[in-house]
Amino acid sequence: MESSGEWQCVRRGKRAARRGKADQSRNPTAAAPEPADRERDTRRITEAVNELRCEDFWLEWRDLLSGCLVGSGCSSSKENTVGEWQLECVCYGLGNFSSCVSARYQLAMLLLLFEALQIPVGQCSMYDPVFTVTECEILKELGFTVLTENEEGKRAVCHPTFFYLMHCGKALYNNLLWSNWSPQVLPNVIVIGNSFLGIQERMLQREFERDYNFLSHIVNVCEETSLPCSQRFMDVFNDSALIQFPADKLQKLPESIWTDLTEPQYQHCHDLEIIQRGSRHLQDDKCA
């Protein structure tokens, strides 16, 4: 358990929790210095996993995701395979879990879900341009694949893929949708992240439609299931949802919507909340 002082420093409201990661991404040089004790950070992750294991709400996360994987054709067996391929998992935008308590518990939740659903950690790719050298090493020791390229969320899938995108920027979700913009492909995308309805509610509708048009098209036909959390972890898991894209609902959208495949540019966005691929900085190379 973290000291009371460290826990109190992240007791923020919904906006502040999201803003913390956004500010960190926009100013990566402000990321925490390299931790001196890697064993300490690994121990803290283990402690966070054990703490969450004692929380009732995590069981609901487990059951919801388990049902989702079964519904998409993925069993939660040891092999966790469908046909000839293994279930893939992708985590973007986790943040500096060595210094940020919220990010550490979000990582702990992911590990706990993998353990409970018998999903090998090695099937999950991780990326955040703010990861430090030590954090990349810890993730690799845990078994994760640490990506070296900033995909900006633009990962196309061809079979059910689970994306863990906690408190990420709107552009990341919009980019992911654009990369899989087809009523045949989107049902393969499974997301645990910010509620799309919540994103819509916090924006002016005209800006939502102009800047994040793939999100705006899909928000009313995706299937959202709110994910619970206890009061203690409200700042860590607030506004979280399991989001799926049922084929029958996608078919209700006008066919013309699927023909617009223009890559998002965000030229009107002054507060983008993600680091774009062209924004190179020293941290980009630390996961190599």
Side-chain angles (χ1 to χ4, degrees), residues 96-155:
N96 293 116
F97 56 87
S98 63
S99 57
C100 175
V101 179
S102 291
R104 191 178 309 140
Y105 279 108
Q106 289 163 3
L107 173 58
M109 176 62 87
L110 184 61
L111 288 167
L112 197 55
L113 287 169
F114 285 169
E115 175 190 301
L117 300 174
Q118 297 181 317
I119 300 173
V121 175
Q123 292 173 204
C124 184
S125 299
M126 305 277 284
Y127 184 79
D128 193 319
V130 304
F131 282 154
T132 64
V133 170
T134 300
E135 286 170 334
C136 290
E137 291 173 348
I138 290 173
L139 290 172
K140 291 175 183 177
E141 287 176 359
L142 290 171
F144 291 101
T145 297
V146 180
L147 302 175
T148 58
E149 179 183 352
N150 184 356
E151 299 177 341
E152 298 180 344
K154 299 172 183 177
R155 172 171 289 219

Side-chain angles (χ1 to χ4, degrees), residues 163-230:
F163 289 87
Y164 192 71
L165 311 174
M166 299 298 297
H167 292 165
C168 288
K170 297 180 286 294
L172 201 66
Y173 297 106
N174 199 54
N175 288 348
L176 177 62
L177 292 171
W178 168 77
S179 298
N180 298 282
W181 196 244
S182 158
Q184 291 77 39
V185 178
L186 274 176
N188 289 325
V189 176
I190 304 163
V191 176
I192 283 185
N194 296 86
S195 162
F196 288 2
L197 289 170
I199 292 174
Q200 181 185 40
E201 290 170 358
R202 289 186 294 272
M203 291 193 68
L204 293 175
Q205 188 62 27
R206 60 180 176 81
E207 293 181 358
F208 186 53
E209 294 174 358
R210 180 195 66 193
D211 299 332
Y212 306 100
N213 60 313
F214 296 99
L215 263 174
S216 69
H217 287 323
I218 211 74
V219 67
N220 292 319
V221 295
C222 64
E223 188 174 281
E224 278 199 12
T225 304
S226 295
L227 292 168
C229 63
S230 66

Side-chain angles (χ1 to χ4, degrees), residues 79-87 159:
E79 293 79 14
N80 221 297
T81 61
V82 179
E84 297 180 351
W85 53 265
Q86 292 183 317
L87 172 70
H159 51 69

